[in-house]
Amino acid sequence: MTAAPPEFGRHVRSSEITSFIDRAGIEALLEPWLPAAADRAFVTRCMLGEGPAHHRGANYVLLRLLGELAARVAPAPAVAPDQVPVPIRLPPHVPRPADRDYPLALPRRVVARLAPDAPTQAAMLDCVTDGPPQHALANAAMLCLLDAMLVATDAPR
Amino acid sequence: MSDPTLGHSFLAAAGELGMCSAAWLFARTLGDDGGPAMVAEARDQLGRDFPVFDAVCARYLAGEREPRVDPTPVRAALAGVDRVLVIGVETTFLDAAVAALDCEIGLLTYGELEVDWPRVLANYGGRVAPCELPAFQRYAGSRGALLTFLYGAQAAVAHVDPAWLRVVAGDVRTQFRELIGWEVLGGEMYVYPRWLVQAPLVDFSWVIR
């Protein structure tokens, strides 16, 4: 029995992978957490303008849909008081600058829902803030949106 | 006019002033000395070797006498930035930027031409700090920026100093808030742009023309 020949051309064209990305739409949904336009542009570029194209597209789809849901559930999101920074990845020999973190941080309280104890919480935070900035920042943005929606839908105490 | 030393003189000047800044100096000096005919002759003699000089001579012969140097958009692009590392030398433009900016400025002391870096930096009286290639990430951060000069930016690409490509890789682009390209030539080059390399404009957060 001979193996079937490999199929090529099943993927969408390279030129189409990121053609749907609308950076302005993502910048707009980040405004509550990043009031400065330059900060929004920087973070959005890292999520949607850098790294493998399919990740850019995936970040856009997930953020945009979460943003749509958040706009319905939490139209005026409250930024969490306790923020966990997303570090800029630099070689170890480089002195750490004061602005060594990305402008977008993530809310500790959303992770604390899953891990009340400190070691587990630290492990979860390490997972979501480590890795390429494209992933870490998208993780942070998604957690900001999820936090806003969870806070907005929490049962009143 | 067929001066075999002119190319060597231009190369030495281009190393310390930058291709575009040196080209305007040479074009004006030649023009003052021998008029447009001498500029045209020099262009014909050296244009293939120095495409930026070729392009600048073309602009001179079209009636221009100096480059357009406006640091205002550079200042705007660097709003909120604490430090910027300049990659590549164009002293006419760097002089204007230094006068207009209030952030920390570094100059990457790496290039493909032989440059007396202490002499270049001495012109800035300590305002511009040297930075060697392995240390360029000292300027990284969410308030850090990189700036280089563009030569003939088109719709999607521009030519840049090769040092830009030594620095700006995929991992580095996310370490700096702004990646600024500042057009210095003001038009495309007519001959093959040796000494320079092509870079896509999407690699820049700001393209200043």
Side-chain angles (χ1 to χ4, degrees):
Chain A
M1 183 174 154
T2 55
E7 284 185 59
F8 297 111
R10 288 180 300 128
H11 296 287
V12 298
R13 291 173 184 273
S14 302
S15 60
E16 292 172 359
I17 302 178
T18 56
S19 60
F20 52 82
I21 289 178
D22 164 28
R23 286 200 200 185
I26 300 302
E27 287 189 31
L29 72 85
L30 291 177
E31 193 165 352
W33 295 276
L34 293 171
D39 288 343
R40 289 197 298 277
F42 178 35
V43 168
T44 303
R45 172 169 67 81
C46 290
M47 294 190 298
L48 306 180
E50 306 288 352
H54 67 286
H55 283 305
R56 304 180 197 190
N59 282 345
Y60 175 77
V61 170
L62 292 168
L63 285 169
R64 196 64 195 260
L65 288 173
L66 278 171
E68 276 203 27
L69 187 57
R72 295 181 199 177
V73 176
V79 177
D82 189 2
Q83 301 275 307
V84 179
V86 179
I88 295 176
R89 291 160 62 89
L90 291 169
H93 72 275
V94 175
R96 303 295 290 170
D99 54 330
R100 60 180 175 242
D101 300 319
Y102 286 103
L104 183 67
L106 62 91
R108 183 183 297 278
R109 68 187 179 193
V110 72
V111 174
R113 289 171 183 266
L114 300 177
D117 65 291
T120 311
Q121 196 180 109
M124 287 185 174
L125 290 169
D126 188 67
C127 289
V128 294
T129 56
D130 199 13
Q134 170 182 68
H135 292 311
L137 285 169
N139 290 343
M142 289 185 219
L143 287 168
C144 287
L145 292 163
L146 286 166
D147 176 66
M149 291 187 280
L150 286 165
V151 168
T153 54
D154 275 340
R157 292 177 182 171
Chain B
M1 183 209 74
S2 181
D3 181 353
T5 67
L6 189 61
H8 296 285
S9 304
F10 181 78
L11 188 60
E16 297 193 5
L17 301 178
M19 285 281 180
C20 187
S21 304
W24 275 108
L25 175 67
F26 271 57
R28 277 197 302 268
T29 304
L30 289 163
D32 290 347
D33 198 36
M38 190 173 278
V39 175
E41 169 61 21
R43 180 190 180 194
D44 206 32
Q45 182 186 332
L46 291 179
R48 295 292 304 284
D49 289 318
F50 303 108
V52 172
F53 177 71
D54 181 86
V56 165
C57 286
R59 300 184 83 85
Y60 182 95
L61 294 170
E64 295 181 39
R65 290 297 177 264
E66 57 187 21
R68 190 170 62 85
V69 184
D70 179 9
T72 310
V74 177
R75 187 181 166 88
L78 289 171
V81 163
D82 287 345
R83 56 198 178 279
V84 57
L85 178 63
V86 178
I87 298 170
V89 175
E90 280 300 346
T91 52
T92 302
F93 295 82
L94 184 57
D95 291 354
V98 167
L101 299 176
D102 48 19
C103 63
E104 182 186 337
I105 303 171
L107 178 64
L108 189 74
T109 52
Y110 170 86
E112 305 215 334
L113 302 183
E114 208 168 310
V115 179
D116 184 339
W117 293 107
R119 200 163 68 184
V120 172
L121 289 158
N123 292 317
Y124 298 102
R127 180 71 179 87
V128 178
C131 178
E132 293 186 349
L133 186 60
F136 76 91
Q137 282 154 312
R138 288 174 188 271
Y139 286 81
S142 61
R143 293 191 298 277
L146 297 173
L147 182 150
T148 196
F149 305 102
L150 308 180
Y151 299 83
Q154 301 165 36
V157 295
H159 286 91
V160 296
D161 189 307
W164 176 255
L165 298 193
R166 306 289 175 273
V167 169
V168 179
D171 58 334
V172 169
R173 283 200 298 272
T174 54
Q175 294 168 352
F176 289 83
R177 193 180 94 180
E178 307 296 354
L179 308 168
I180 300 169
W182 188 6
E183 170 66 41
V184 295
L185 197 54
E188 293 181 30
M189 281 167 280
Y190 175 65
V191 294
Y192 167 69
R194 69 188 79 247
W195 307 102
L196 303 170
V197 292
Q198 207 172 57
L201 293 185
V202 292
D203 282 358
F204 296 91
S205 61
W206 292 83
V207 173
I208 297 167
R209 297 174 192 263

